[in-house]
Amino acid sequence: MWQVYIKELIELLRDKKTLFFIIALPLVIFPVIFGFMGFLGAKAAISHSEKQVRYVIVNADAAPDFAEVLFYHNDFEYIDLPLTDEASYRQAIQSDKVDMVIVVDDNFASRNATAQPSTWQLFYNGANIIAGSRLKFDDALQRYVERLQQQQWQQFGVDLNTFEVFKQPIDIEEYDTADDRESLGEKIGGFIPYLLIPLCLTGAMYPAIDLGAGEKERGTIETLLLTPTSRFSLVMGKFLCIFTTAIMTAVITLLSMLLWSFIVGNVMSVAEVENVLSAISITDFIMVLLLLMPICAIFAALLLAISIYASSYKEAQNYMGPLTILVIFPVIVGMTPGIVLNNTWALVPVANVALAMKELLKGTMDYALLVPIFLSTGVFAVASICFCVYWFNKESVLFR
């Protein structure tokens, strides 16, 4: 078995494609891609926040003070367009002539004088979330409404101090009991399994295709079966080789995360990242790696079984595609708000590991739940390996 394992491992290490998926992808390419995406996102957000909102105000004479507020506001740019009805408002926004159309109530002045509510209409493109046109308008309107409220209260003989009490009768002092680690772990803790677990699957997939379907396509499977090595040793040697590549992918990805987190936290002096990194112990990282081991064993056994069944590279890739989708669904559980690790979720393979990683990164892990997690994933891993051995011993599968 070990001779088969070493022989297959040496052959895989000679394959540049396998080395790319195991080493280069998690170590260099993913951090560069995520960093570039973050840079582009931040640049787009800054650009849009500095962009002025082009607006048209209809019936401006009914609220000249508000029209003046917008006209001299740095975030708004007045556009002189003759808009008459709702169709023209929508057309002006869709043709990108303006970002927003504000329709003031004709009777606003008289309603305001008698302290009656007034309805204004606001037209804008809500799909452009980053631009934040609505937020800028709400900020300007809130200041104007507050000024109107002050005027109305003064008409009733109420001074400004009393007005402030009426406006905000209760002040809330917020005390967040979550530390930096728990807050950051809640935000990114679900994303880490979403990256790690599919990477383990990818790291096992290409070696599995080569060691199963590849042997068939090259015509070497018959030669391998004629050797004095038992079929159990052959399949276990191949399984261990695939398992090793999956674990190596996980280890290199974790080391890559540590390296880039250290660079961001210490070299770039990002205090929040530095504090969180110092709070996470090496034991937590080892625990994350241990959680991934039975998952990698399940992936390795299932992928090898699929590859043994397939008669070519292309057929194996077609069969493995749905497996990728099946893995993504339970991983998404870790990113779903409101779902926490409990006795029930601890028994669901893949999802339990994703939730446990999130709890470990937050520093709120209930270590008693590790027992059902390892038991459930271990049972699935042993069952997968047994099925793979049984599958490899079937002549109808090997020579189909």
Side-chain angles (χ1 to χ4, degrees):
M1 180 179 74
W2 294 111
Q3 288 178 336
V4 176
Y5 168 70
I6 293 170
K7 170 244 177 196
E8 300 288 9
L9 195 61
I10 291 173
E11 288 187 1
L12 282 178
L13 291 176
R14 290 173 180 167
D15 184 6
K16 293 180 181 177
K17 186 170 65 177
T18 303
L19 291 178
F20 173 82
F21 282 103
I22 295 175
I23 298 175
L25 204 63
L27 189 62
V28 179
I29 295 179
F30 270 120
V32 171
I33 291 174
F34 293 140
F36 185 65
M37 288 171 61
F39 171 74
L40 290 181
K43 188 177 179 182
I46 292 172
S47 174
H48 281 289
S49 67
E50 293 175 347
K51 180 184 175 184
Q52 287 185 314
V53 178
R54 298 165 300 164
Y55 74 97
V56 169
I57 183 166
V58 181
N59 302 330
D61 294 340
D65 293 347
F66 181 68
E68 185 178 355
V69 167
L70 285 189
F71 187 80
Y72 290 106
H73 200 296
N74 292 332
D75 290 337
F76 292 88
E77 179 187 0
Y78 174 71
I79 303 296
D80 188 10
L81 277 179
L83 303 180
T84 55
D85 53 16
E86 183 175 333
S88 63
Y89 309 155
R90 295 181 183 276
Q91 178 61 33
I93 295 173
Q94 289 173 357
S95 59
D96 199 30
K97 293 179 180 176
V98 295
D99 299 313
M100 181 178 288
V101 177
I102 306 156
V103 183
V104 179
D105 183 4
D106 285 335
N107 301 317
F108 171 69
S110 60
R111 288 177 178 275
N112 183 52
T114 56
Q116 295 183 43
S118 181
T119 303
W120 296 12
Q121 293 178 318
L122 184 66
F123 295 85
Y124 66 100
N125 185 357
N128 194 356
I129 299 172
I130 296 179
S133 303
R134 175 61 190 269
L135 295 176
K136 291 179 178 177
F137 174 78
D138 285 347
D139 182 62
L141 180 65
Q142 182 60 35
R143 296 182 189 181
Y144 178 67
V145 168
E146 188 172 323
R147 189 194 304 174
L148 290 179
Q149 288 173 333
Q150 288 179 2
Q151 292 172 356
Q152 289 176 349
W153 282 100
Q154 284 176 339
Q155 288 176 4
F156 293 124
V158 179
D159 59 45
L160 289 179
N161 291 333
T162 308
F163 168 73
E164 291 297 330
V165 174
F166 275 103
K167 189 182 71 172
Q168 187 73 32
I170 300 175
D171 284 331
I172 303 295
E173 292 184 354
E174 295 185 22
Y175 297 93
D176 189 356
T177 57
D179 54 19
D180 290 342
R181 175 180 174 179
E182 189 173 349
S183 298
L184 192 63
E186 180 63 32
K187 293 171 185 171
I188 67 168
F191 178 73
I192 300 299
Y194 190 78
L195 176 66
L196 268 177
I197 294 177
L199 266 179
C200 292
L201 180 68
T202 307
M205 186 177 294
Y206 290 94
I209 293 174
D210 187 65
L211 298 184
E215 294 270 14
K216 284 186 176 181
E217 201 163 273
R218 291 191 297 270
T220 55
I221 188 73
E222 294 83 356
T223 309
L224 192 63
L225 294 172
L226 289 174
T227 59
T229 310
S230 67
R231 290 197 179 185
F232 176 80
S233 298
L234 287 175
V235 70
M236 288 305 295
K238 289 177 180 292
F239 162 77
L240 288 175
C241 183
I242 299 167
F243 175 73
T244 302
T245 59
I247 285 294
M248 285 304 298
T249 305
V251 170
I252 292 172
T253 304
L254 280 174
L255 291 176
S256 173
M257 288 179 181
L258 282 173
L259 174 66
W260 286 100
S261 298
F262 177 81
I263 292 173
V264 173
N266 292 273
V267 179
M268 298 183 181
S269 301
V270 179
E272 290 79 7
V273 177
E274 186 179 357
N275 293 336
V276 171
L277 193 63
S278 60
I280 300 175
S281 67
I282 191 66
T283 308
D284 294 327
F285 284 103
I286 293 174
M287 193 60 69
V288 169
L289 189 60
L290 291 176
L291 284 168
L292 287 172
M293 292 185 75
I295 294 293
C296 290
I298 295 172
F299 290 163
L302 291 179
L303 290 171
L304 182 58
I306 293 172
S307 183
I308 290 168
Y309 179 78
S311 56
S312 65
Y313 269 89
K314 187 176 180 181
E315 192 177 339
Q317 288 174 337
N318 291 337
Y319 291 149
M320 291 176 184
L323 185 63
T324 308
I325 299 172
L326 290 176
V327 169
I328 292 295
F329 278 116
V331 173
I332 291 175
V333 170
M335 302 176 69
T336 306
I339 296 181
V340 296
L341 184 63
N342 52 31
N343 290 323
T344 304
W345 280 111
L347 298 175
V348 181
V350 183
N352 54 9
V353 173
L355 289 169
M357 283 186 195
K358 185 177 177 181
E359 296 295 329
L360 282 169
L361 291 173
K362 287 168 60 181
T364 56
M365 181 70 196
D366 180 2
Y367 288 95
L369 291 174
L370 289 175
V371 176
I373 291 174
F374 279 113
L375 280 176
S376 63
T377 51
V379 167
F380 274 93
V382 171
S384 302
I385 294 168
C386 291
F387 172 75
C388 187
V389 174
Y390 162 76
W391 206 233
F392 194 77
N393 282 287
K394 286 179 71 72
E395 299 285 340
S396 58
V397 172
L398 283 175
F399 302 107
R400 61 183 286 274

